[in-house]
């Protein structure tokens, strides 16, 4: 018996707790395998999960190889709706404010020349399903040319997003691991003022500085300017061929065209 | 290559048969992700079934008649053309290893197996079958329905109940390897001689002779207990005798809370979480059994 990702996706939804409790991807595969009496491989599972993510039917959380939960629907009493009133923001809700910041304030801070481009891409669901720490939440690719010198300068940044309670020293290493594909690694931490997690800030800051990882504090995701750079990242000497391979699988065709035009001075 | 059948049996109860079945099935699946394991529960207590499937799924399967007793009743009592393979439940394990659920299928036993076995004997006797003929009839059914499973699975593991029921005896005789979990204390080895005598020394009648000597697996081993040391020494002498009645496996499964806890776990643990410190012992057991079975 073979399943298509679409067919499998329809089996995932009824298995998710209605109250929005997240389920580990590993456990969901067990539940599906048992229900369908068929071993569900990682490729088809993640393809089905990505379909549901794209449709907004489910949300995802990082850690322990990922979890999924049932997303709120209009007028329902489901978890995301409940989470809105609760203090902690789930990672899935932080994605949009982070994207807005990367496309706005962060990009401006790069001080790129007028002819340059900056591409922001959500890569949280792109890349190898089983790779460890191989899926940054976002990447930002900037490309610029110079007035006197030949060639183009391309910088690739990766961003690892963590919730208020989900950040630890391990997160710094996660962001660091992602720089095997990029030039700059950033850890973005949703850390509102006056929370208990602030006690960990100094330690995380030190580890970021020690490993050359940028630290961005997201104080208030609901505010447009709620992010603050606490530590600047150090540029890694990642091999160009590795970065090319990474961009090949993470950018859309349209983004690749924009990047090629920018590096060749065809804008 | 045809798969291997392994029977886990001992006349005595409480020696760790079900623990061995479940942990061995999971260890074999974790050792080789391409291997497929089938556990056949021949014990009406259905402990292995409950450990592998959980109470809810087991109840559903019993309700649906997907049990070995239901199959035997249909085939040998009401003489319906029932098949065994469709009753097997696939992808049943809740334990994962390296992110993937362990590839274990199983065929549970319902609570009526003993009654069904008795009924088969009554029924066939009424139809003027002799005891030899009843054995022959049951063996024929085994050949038709169980032996082909070796083509579909890398390992078929039988969890045999205490004692020697007709079906247990057939499973033991048909298996490529019989593991006899034994606690090395005086009470636990009392029945070992009788068990080996009945199956391995008595004339087999219409049934085949077991292929290998029984392989004794020392369970709940406590190396600091003198009685355990003494009994182990006796078993070693027996295994090295000129005409040995047993083979003694080198692996010793120690008394470990992790093993008892593993069977009680009803979540979806990883293999490492489930077995913890016992993993190295299970790995040693798997490699030793593969050597005995000449796998790889």
């Amino acid at each position: 018996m073979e399943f298509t990702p679409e067919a499998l996706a329809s089996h995932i939804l009824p298995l998710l707790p209605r109250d929005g409790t997240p389920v580990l991807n590993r456990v969901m595969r067990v539940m599906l395998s048992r229900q369908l009496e068929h071993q569900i491989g990682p490729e088809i599972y993640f393809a089905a999960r990505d379909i549901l993510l794209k449709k907004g039917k489910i949300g995802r959380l990082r850690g322990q190889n990922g979890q999924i939960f049932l997303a709120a629907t209009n007028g329902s009493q489901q978890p995301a709706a409940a989470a809105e009133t609760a203090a902690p923001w789930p990672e899935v809700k932080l994605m949009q404010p982070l994207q807005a910041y990367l496309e706005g304030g962060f990009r401006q801070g790069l001080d790129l020349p007028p002819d340059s481009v900056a591409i922001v891409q959500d890569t949280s669901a792109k890349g190898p399903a089983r790779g460890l720490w191989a899926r940054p939440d976002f990447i930002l690719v900037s490309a610029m040319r110079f007035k006197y010198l030949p060639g183009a300068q391309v910088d690739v940044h990766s961003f690892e997003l963590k919730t208020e309670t989900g950040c630890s020293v391990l997160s710094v290493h996660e962001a660091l691991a992602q720089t095997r594909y990029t030039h700059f690694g950033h850890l973005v931490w949703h850390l509102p003022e006056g929370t208990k997690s602030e006690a960990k800030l100094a330690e995380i800051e030190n580890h970021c500085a020690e490993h050359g990882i940028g630290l961005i504090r997201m104080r208030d995701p609901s505010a447009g300017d709620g992010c603050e750079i606490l530590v600047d990242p150090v540029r890694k000497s990642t091999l160009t061929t590795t970065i090319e391979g990474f961009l090949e699988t993470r950018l859309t065709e349209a983004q690749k065209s924009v990047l090629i035009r920018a590096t060749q001075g065809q804008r | 290559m045809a798969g291997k059948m392994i029977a886990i049996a001992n006349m005595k109860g409480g020696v760790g048969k079900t623990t061995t079945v479940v942990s061995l099935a999971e260890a074999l699946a974790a050792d080789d992700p391409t291997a497929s394991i089938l556990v056949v529960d021949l014990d009406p207590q259905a402990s292995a079934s409950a450990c592998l499937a959980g109470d809810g799924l087991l109840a559903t399967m019993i309700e649906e008649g997907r049990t070995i007793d239901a199959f035997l009743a249909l085939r040998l009592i009401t003489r319906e053309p029932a098949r065994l393979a469709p009753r097997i439940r696939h992808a049943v394990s809740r334990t994962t290893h390296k992110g993937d659920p362990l590839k274990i299928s199983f065929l549970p036993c319902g609570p009526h197996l003993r009654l069904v076995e008795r009924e088969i004997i009554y029924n066939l006797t009424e139809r003027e079958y002799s005891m030899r003929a009843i054995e022959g009839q049951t063996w024929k059914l085994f050949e038709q329905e169980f032996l082909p499973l070796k083509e579909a699975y890398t390992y078929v593991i039988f969890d045999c109940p205490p004692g020697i029921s007709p079906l247990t005896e057939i499973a033991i005789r048909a298996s490529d390897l019989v593991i006899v979990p034994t606690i090395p204390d005086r009470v636990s080895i009392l029945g070992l001689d009788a068990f080996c005598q009945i199956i391995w020394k008595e004339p087999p009648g219409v049934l085949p002779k077991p292929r290998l000597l029984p392989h004794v697996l020392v369970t709940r081993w406590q190396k600091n207990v003198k009685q355990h040391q003494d009994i182990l020494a006796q078993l070693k002498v027996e295994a090295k005798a000129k005409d040995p009645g047993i083979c003694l496996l080198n692996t010793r499964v120690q008394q470990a809370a992790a093993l008892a806890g593993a069977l009680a776990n009803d979540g979806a643990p990883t293999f490492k979480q489930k077995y913890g410190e016992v993993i190295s012992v299970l790995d040693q057991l798997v490699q030793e059994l593969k050597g005995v079975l000449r796998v790889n």
Side-chain angles (χ1 to χ4, degrees):
Chain A
M1 183 172 34
E2 290 303 325
F3 292 94
T4 60
E6 289 76 14
L8 191 61
S10 68
H11 289 283
I12 292 176
L13 287 176
L15 290 174
L16 283 168
R18 311 312 295 169
D19 66 357
T21 305
V23 176
L24 292 167
N25 287 319
R26 177 180 71 78
V27 175
M28 178 51 73
R29 281 179 55 208
V30 168
M31 293 162 78
L32 285 167
S33 298
R34 278 167 63 90
Q35 192 190 54
L36 302 172
E37 295 192 48
H38 186 83
Q39 215 76 22
I40 300 299
E43 290 80 12
I44 189 166
Y45 169 73
F46 283 109
R49 184 202 68 167
D50 290 347
I51 288 172
L52 294 173
L53 275 173
K54 208 170 173 184
K55 287 180 179 169
K57 302 254 186 196
I58 60 169
R60 64 191 285 268
L61 300 172
R62 309 287 296 218
Q64 298 179 69
N65 291 322
Q67 303 175 57
I68 58 171
F69 60 87
L70 203 58
T73 53
N74 288 340
S76 75
Q77 293 301 309
Q78 283 174 6
E84 215 146 321
T85 54
W89 284 54
E91 192 175 313
V92 68
K93 267 189 73 188
L94 294 169
M95 291 290 280
Q96 198 279 327
L98 176 56
Q99 182 162 6
Y101 166 67
L102 295 178
E103 288 170 344
F106 185 85
R107 188 202 155 139
Q108 282 171 16
L110 292 175
D111 202 18
L112 298 169
D115 281 352
S116 55
V117 297
I119 298 164
V120 174
Q121 174 64 39
D122 175 350
T123 49
S124 59
K126 287 182 169 228
R130 306 187 74 182
L132 185 64
W133 293 345
R135 292 180 169 199
D137 289 303
F138 282 98
I139 57 169
L140 184 148
V141 187
S142 67
M144 60 179 172
R145 294 179 65 83
F146 304 98
K147 191 174 175 184
Y148 303 112
L149 298 178
Q153 165 88 21
V154 176
D155 288 327
V156 182
H157 300 251
S158 50
F159 299 87
E160 182 55 37
L161 175 59
K162 290 294 173 197
T163 59
E164 181 192 326
T165 54
C167 192
S168 66
V169 171
L170 194 65
S171 313
V172 181
H173 290 268
E174 193 173 347
L176 178 64
Q178 288 162 1
T179 60
R180 65 195 192 276
Y181 305 121
T182 64
H183 297 114
F184 298 97
H186 304 258
L187 176 61
V188 183
W189 186 9
H190 173 221
L191 184 60
E193 295 286 348
T195 53
K196 278 185 187 171
S197 301
E198 270 189 321
K200 292 190 287 185
L201 181 57
E203 187 190 15
I204 304 262
E205 221 172 334
N206 285 340
H207 276 269
C208 282
E210 201 172 321
H211 293 290
I213 294 300
L215 178 62
I216 300 172
R217 178 176 183 173
M218 190 187 266
R219 286 177 193 274
D220 183 2
S222 56
D225 57 351
C227 291
E228 178 192 2
I229 295 174
L230 300 182
V231 178
D232 281 317
V234 175
R235 195 175 207 278
K236 309 286 182 192
S237 52
T238 311
L239 285 175
T240 305
T241 47
T242 306
I243 292 179
E244 286 247 311
F246 178 72
L247 295 180
E248 185 67 44
T249 56
R250 301 319 200 271
L251 295 182
T252 64
E253 292 307 314
Q255 287 170 334
K256 286 179 206 167
S257 301
V258 169
L259 188 58
I260 289 168
R261 282 202 302 276
T263 53
Q264 293 176 353
Q266 295 172 1
R267 262 191 105 196
Chain B
M1 195 180 78
K4 303 289 183 187
M5 282 186 164
I6 303 173
I8 314 291
N10 191 330
M11 289 239 287
K12 190 181 178 314
V15 291
K17 285 190 295 293
T18 298
T19 308
T20 305
V21 167
V22 174
S23 57
L24 177 62
E26 298 197 319
L28 285 166
D31 175 68
D32 178 4
T34 63
S36 52
I37 320 293
L38 169 64
V39 173
V40 180
D41 195 349
L42 299 180
D43 187 345
Q45 292 179 72
S47 309
S49 301
C51 289
L52 282 168
D55 292 341
L57 183 55
L58 178 59
T60 307
M61 291 187 73
I62 290 173
E63 207 171 291
E64 291 171 350
R66 291 176 71 173
T67 60
I68 199 148
D69 44 343
F71 164 75
L72 290 173
L74 288 170
R75 278 296 286 267
L76 293 176
I77 301 174
T78 59
R79 285 186 273 175
E80 291 175 45
R83 299 305 310 269
L84 184 73
R87 287 162 204 276
I88 292 168
R89 180 105 190 181
H90 302 289
V92 76
S93 182
R94 289 170 295 184
T95 306
T96 61
H97 185 55
K98 296 182 179 169
D100 291 325
L102 295 176
K103 214 187 272 180
I104 297 177
S105 305
F106 97 125
L107 181 62
C109 181
H112 304 303
L113 182 63
R114 282 280 182 266
L115 291 176
V116 169
E117 283 183 313
R118 197 180 67 188
E119 205 56 38
I120 289 168
I121 293 170
Y122 287 162
N123 193 282
L124 294 179
T125 310
E126 269 178 16
R127 283 152 54 193
E128 299 189 342
Y129 278 72
S130 67
M131 277 313 285
R132 285 272 187 261
I134 292 172
E135 275 183 355
Q137 191 73 4
T138 317
W139 172 250
K140 197 172 140 195
L141 180 66
F142 194 92
E143 270 187 321
Q144 285 171 355
E145 297 290 332
F146 284 88
L147 290 186
L149 297 175
K150 287 174 80 167
E151 301 303 322
Y153 297 93
T154 319
Y155 298 98
V156 179
I157 303 176
F158 293 102
D159 184 16
C160 302
I164 304 174
S165 71
L167 196 59
T168 304
E169 183 170 353
I170 285 175
I172 288 173
R173 290 183 182 280
S175 289
D176 299 283
L177 173 66
V178 181
I179 298 173
V180 187
T182 304
I183 303 172
D185 61 31
R186 297 200 195 288
V187 176
S188 298
I189 63 157
L190 281 178
L192 186 60
D193 265 355
F195 178 63
C196 298
Q197 188 70 30
I198 292 167
I199 305 280
W200 278 266
K201 303 280 183 190
E202 295 288 326
V206 294
L207 302 177
K209 211 179 160 200
R211 288 162 206 206
L212 296 173
L213 284 174
H215 280 61
V216 172
L217 172 67
V218 170
T219 55
R220 301 193 189 160
W221 164 244
Q222 296 176 72
K223 64 178 176 189
N224 296 326
V225 173
K226 172 113 185 14
Q227 193 183 154
H228 281 206
Q229 294 168 2
D230 293 345
I231 300 291
L232 181 61
Q234 279 181 31
L235 290 171
K236 280 181 178 171
V237 169
E238 170 63 27
K240 283 184 180 164
K242 199 173 173 191
D243 181 20
I246 58 162
C247 282
L248 181 63
L249 289 166
N250 292 322
T251 308
R252 318 257 176 272
V253 182
Q254 74 268 36
Q255 175 89 12
L259 267 180
L263 265 61
N265 201 321
D266 56 359
T270 64
F271 184 66
K272 270 188 182 174
Q273 286 168 345
K274 192 166 180 177
Y275 292 103
E277 73 210 55
V278 195
I279 283 186
S280 58
V281 179
L282 292 177
D283 185 50
Q284 188 191 343
L285 178 61
V286 164
Q287 301 316 321
E288 188 174 6
L289 295 183
K290 282 166 84 173
V292 172
L293 290 165
R294 298 177 200 279
V295 176
N296 293 348

